């Protein structure tokens, strides 16, 4: 039934399932293994043992770029914009450009790939507008503020048309006034049928936008369910809410 | 202009052409993609040797005083094209090992070691390309057919060089202006983020190493066909740093800046010692030339790492003040996509 | 057979010198993340200082000690002045490689310009020859092996059992974390440069003690083998570098006897390529992720 899902047995035998089309939060205290989990899912780290299933297929050992081509995108915890590319170029770099990014296509010249580029540029414009970043569209991404860089990275991932998007603390460092636009973007992604797994510390936000919550501590999954259920779970309270 | 001066100027122009092609190729690797190919000079050398042995004829010719492999006497553009092919193949071979799952600074080490080893092989395996003595008496292309005086032939060769440079420039320009060029710069700026967006970083790096290798080989072939001789002394591994300095000083990532760098470092700085009196002990001036190159690299990396003409920022004008000329909106300023 | 054993003996001497150098090179890289391509030039500089002393009548052993001190002082100064300057300026990993290349060019050619393109020769009293089990080694060669063993053991003790060793390993894996645990990272880094610089100086002088004469480019020529040994062992792994040095040293000397002495570096490179194909991270090294440079 589920079209896109990921099940994982890694870290300390942590195991969970992400429901297709839902927004799932991955929470837990620092050092719980959340970021490691992101890297394992997206192919950047190889688990010592265990498996990750995506679309029902084993993806351990798949390189990150292959997974990205299959719609599994991720963002990073630290800002990872392309600093010497402009904001617009960062976004365009995220978009698929099957004609212009091949060697033959590039050598055939502008006429060959311009239509595709125009379409991507229009998408970039719409996205920039929704995040109110049009005014910095032509600035070098490296010159932006920390929060703006995070937004660029999010937009870049959205440009890649993900089916399963792993966000590593998308709200960290974002200006409070902009938080709403990130939330709106995530909700828009969900209504487009994108599966989202996000690491997030702000439980208020988690409660508002996430359908399910996975709690990790010390490399293990200690709970998995809806936010209001978890609030009753003594183990979770002890590991997370307690202190 | 006196004919001596004309000889000198035309020779300089040919050197400039060779440096231009080499610097653009190295810039594609280092400046655009961030592949620190410290063994660049090997591919230039390989192209030169290939062109030389394919022009010289069998090694029994000229009284058989030099020994080399694959001797043949092929008509003009063929040795040049063959050099490009050999350069591409060799760089694909080295790149496929050296670029694999290694950090970019390890990759630099592998290329550097390969360059030093290659000199060892060429010098000590005498039957390969005539060892330490190198190859000489390589006939100049078409010199028998065009029937020009030596001086006119010089200018004829400058013309050939200009055509080669134009082709190389257009090729590299198309690459760097395209979405592919943007992908390459993305790889340079953040390798993991590029990988996460679906770019096969290894393949992209290998691609520029191969293209750069082929162009480097062409530059070497064009040089040897002109000067007629080539040996291990012509491509000591440190020669890569001359081109590297040109790229850094001119403006890495900017093809025009790099062209300026090619004029300043490999041409002007190499020629300058001719015009100053020899001082110090034997080899002192030459040693000081390297010191100057080293100091210039440090000074630029510190005070102006972007070079004399920095990489251009591509404005798309989405904000509306500057409209891109094909963004479908009114054009107020003409801004081209890419550079 | 005799030839093989003899070559093995030479290989051990080369491997000893190589081990000192490769461990130092890999230590610099593993802890500070600076790929110091001026390493060979510092070796040459120390060998040259040793030569000046030796020519003035001092024994090679005094030259060795002074060479070690010179290497330590010069390396630490190089890091504190030039390298730190660029790191503060925001030059990244990749740019630092170019900085070290420029420093190497300047050093090598300054020496070449000032001292001239000569072969400098150490005056070493004639050595007695020892034979056992087919190995033929001079007392000097045995002493070089001894120096290497002492150096490696000292380094091992230091890395394993001292606070400094632990601090070094902690700084290597995460400088920021080490700092927050109360480790004075910049002091650790200084000590790394001093220790590795001393080893670099020792390697430079012993290299010339073994080959007797040298030129301005001797150190940078040797750097190829150092890099090969370091990568074979796993860059950043001191014990890997020792193993790599042994493999590369013996392979190249055996190849020198059986194939062609001038091609021995080629075999070191072939070994490097094979290792890169099978195990890109080297024998002992782990796959490392790029981090910032620390000075």
């Amino acid at each position: 039934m589920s079209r896109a899902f990921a099940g994982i047995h890694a870290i300390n035998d942590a195991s969970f399932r992400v429901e297709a089309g839902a927004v799932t939060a991955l929470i837990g205290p620092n050092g719980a293994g959340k970021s490691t989990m992101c890297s394992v899912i997206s192919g950047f780290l190889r688990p010592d043992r265990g498996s990750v299933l995506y679309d029902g297929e084993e993806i351990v050992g798949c390189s990150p770029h292959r997974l990205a081509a299959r719609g599994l995108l991720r963002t990073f915890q630290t800002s990872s914009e392309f600093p010497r590319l402009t904001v617009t170029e960062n976004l365009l770099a995220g978009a698929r450009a099957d004609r212009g990014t091949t060697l033959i296509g590039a050598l055939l010249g502008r006429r060959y790939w311009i239509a595709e580029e125009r379409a991507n540029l229009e998408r970039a414009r719409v996205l920039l507008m929704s995040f109110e970043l049009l005014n910095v569209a032509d600035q070098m991404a490296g010159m932006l503020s920390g929060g703006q860089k995070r937004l660029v990275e999010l937009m870049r991932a959205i440009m890649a048309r993900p089916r399963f998007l792993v966000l590593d603390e998308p709200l960290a460092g974002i200006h409070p006034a902009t938080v709403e636009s990130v939330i709106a973007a995530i909700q828009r992604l969900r209504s487009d049928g994108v599966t989202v797994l996000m690491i997030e510390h702000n439980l208020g936000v988690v409660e508002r936008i996430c359908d399910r919550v996975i709690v990790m501590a010390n490399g293990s999954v200690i709970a998995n369910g809806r936010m209001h259920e978890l609030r009753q779970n003594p183990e979770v309270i002890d590991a997370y809410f307690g202190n | 202009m006196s004919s001596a001066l004309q000889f000198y100027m035309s020779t300089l122009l040919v050197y400039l052409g060779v440096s231009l092609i080499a610097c653009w190729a190295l810039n594609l690797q280092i400046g655009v993609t961030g592949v620190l190919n410290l063994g660049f000079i090997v591919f230039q050398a390989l192209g030169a040797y290939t062109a030389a042995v394919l022009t010289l004829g069998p090694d029994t010719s000229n009284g058989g005083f030099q020994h080399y492999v694959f001797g043949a006497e092929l008509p003009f553009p063929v040795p040049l094209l063959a050099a490009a092919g050999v350069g591409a193949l060799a760089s694909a071979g080295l790149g496929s090992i050296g670029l694999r799952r290694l950090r970019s600074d390890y990759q630099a080490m592998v290329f550097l070691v390969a360059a030093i080893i290659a000199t060892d092989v060429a010098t000590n395996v005498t039957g390969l390309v005539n060892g330490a003595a190198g190859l000489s008496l390589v006939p100049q292309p078409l010199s028998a057919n065009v029937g020009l005086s030596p001086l006119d032939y010089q200018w004829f060769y400058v013309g050939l060089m200009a055509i080669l440079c134009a082709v190389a420039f257009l090729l590299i320009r198309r690459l760097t202006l395209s979405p592919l060029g943007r992908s390459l710069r993305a790889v340079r700026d953040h390798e993991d983020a590029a990988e996460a967006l679906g770019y096969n970083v290894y393949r992209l790096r290998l691609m520029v190493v191969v293209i750069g290798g082929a162009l480097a080989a062409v530059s070497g072939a064009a040089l040897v066909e002109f000067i007629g001789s080539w040996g291990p002394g012509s491509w000591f591994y440190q020669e890569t740093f001359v081109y590297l300095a040109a790229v850094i000083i001119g403006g890495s990532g900017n093809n025009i800046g790099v062209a300026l760098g090619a004029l300043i470092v490999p041409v002007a700085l190499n020629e300058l010692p001719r015009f100053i009196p020899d001082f110090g002990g034997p080899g002192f001036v030459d040693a000081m030339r390297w010191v100057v190159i080293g100091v210039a690299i440090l000074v630029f990396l510190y005070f102006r790492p972007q070079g004399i003409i920095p990489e251009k920022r591509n404005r798309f004008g989405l904000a509306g003040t500057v409209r891109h000329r094909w963004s479908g909106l009114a054009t107020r300023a003409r801004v081209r996509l890419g550079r | 057979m005799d030839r093989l054993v003899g070559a093995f003996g030479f290989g051990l001497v080369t491997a000893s010198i190589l081990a000192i150098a490769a461990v130092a090179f890999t230590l610099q890289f593993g802890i500070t993340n600076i790929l110091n391509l001026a390493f060979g030039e510092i070796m040459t500089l120390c060998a040259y200082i040793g030569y000046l002393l030796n020519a003035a009548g001092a024994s090679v052993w005094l030259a060795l000690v002074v060479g070690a001190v010179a290497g330590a002082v010069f390396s630490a100064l190089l890091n504190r002045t030039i390298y730190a300057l660029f790191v503060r300026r925001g030059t990244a990993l990749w740019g630092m490689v170019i900085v070290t290349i420029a420093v190497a060019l300047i050093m090598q050619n300054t020496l070449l310009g000032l001292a001239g393109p000569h072969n400098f020769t150490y005056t070493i009293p004639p050595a007695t020859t020892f034979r056992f089990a087919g190995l033929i080694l001079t007392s000097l060669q045995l002493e070089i092996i001894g120096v290497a063993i002492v150096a490696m053991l000292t380094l091992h003790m230091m890395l394993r059992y001292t606070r400094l060793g632990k601090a070094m390993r902690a700084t290597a894996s995460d400088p920021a974390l080490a700092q927050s645990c109360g480790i004075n990272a910049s002091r650790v880094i200084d000590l790394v440069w001093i220790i590795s610089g001393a080893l670099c100086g020792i390697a430079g002088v012993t290299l010339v003690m073994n080959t007797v004469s040298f030129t301005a480019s001797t150190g940078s020529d040797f750097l190829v083998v150092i890099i090969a040994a370091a990568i074979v062992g796993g860059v950043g792994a001191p014990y890997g570098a020792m193993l790599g040095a042994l493999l590369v040293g013996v392979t190249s000397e055996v190849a020198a006897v059986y194939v062609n002495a001038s091609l021995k570096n080629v075999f070191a490179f072939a070994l490097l390529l094979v290792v890169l194909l099978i195990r890109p991270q080297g024998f002992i090294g782990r796959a490392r992720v790029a981090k910032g440079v620390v000075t």
Side-chain angles (χ1 to χ4, degrees), chain A residues 198-216:
Chain A
M198 58 188 273
I199 295 180
E200 188 45 63
H201 288 298
N202 185 336
L203 297 179
V205 172
V206 169
E207 189 147 28
R208 267 180 65 201
I209 61 170
C210 297
D211 304 293
R212 299 192 71 84
V213 179
I214 296 163
V215 188
M216 281 186 79

Side-chain angles (χ1 to χ4, degrees), chain B residues 94-134:
Chain B
L94 183 62
S96 62
I97 299 173
L99 294 172
R100 243 194 170 155
R101 285 190 284 162
L102 285 173
R103 251 170 72 166
S104 56
D105 35 11
Y106 292 25
Q107 295 169 359
M109 280 198 278
V110 174
F111 283 114
L112 177 71
V113 173
I116 300 173
I117 296 301
T119 317
D120 270 8
V121 173
T123 312
N124 295 306
V125 183
T126 40
L128 198 59
V129 280
N130 206 35

Side-chain angles (χ1 to χ4, degrees), chain A residues 1-70:
Chain A
M1 289 302 283
S2 59
R3 200 172 55 82
F5 77 95
I8 186 162
H9 300 266
I11 332 288
N12 292 338
D13 291 325
S15 171
F16 62 83
R17 222 179 104 92
V18 176
E19 236 167 86
V23 176
T24 306
L26 186 56
I27 64 172
N30 283 333
K34 306 181 299 287
S35 279
T36 312
M37 193 64 93
C38 280
S39 294
V40 169
I41 295 172
S42 55
F44 276 88
L45 281 179
R46 222 192 147 99
D48 298 328
R49 65 200 161 82
S51 62
V52 182
L53 299 179
Y54 174 67
D55 269 352
E57 276 174 53
E58 175 64 64
I59 54 170
V60 164
C62 247
S63 52
H65 69 262
R66 284 240 172 78
L67 294 176
R70 286 167 62 179

Side-chain angles (χ1 to χ4, degrees), chain B residues 103-105, chain C residues 33-34 91-98 290-293:
Chain B
R103 251 170 72 166
S104 56
D105 35 11
Chain C
N33 269 318
I34 293 177
T91 309
L93 289 174
W94 183 93
M96 287 309 292
V97 180
I98 301 178
K291 298 172 290 192
V293 175

Side-chain angles (χ1 to χ4, degrees), chain C residues 8-41:
Chain C
F8 184 74
F10 283 131
L12 281 184
V13 182
T14 306
S16 301
I17 301 164
L18 191 51
I20 303 172
V23 165
F25 180 73
T26 223
L27 210 59
Q28 285 177 358
F29 183 65
I31 295 174
T32 68
N33 269 318
I34 293 177
L35 184 64
N36 183 16
L37 294 180
F39 191 89
E41 271 63 36

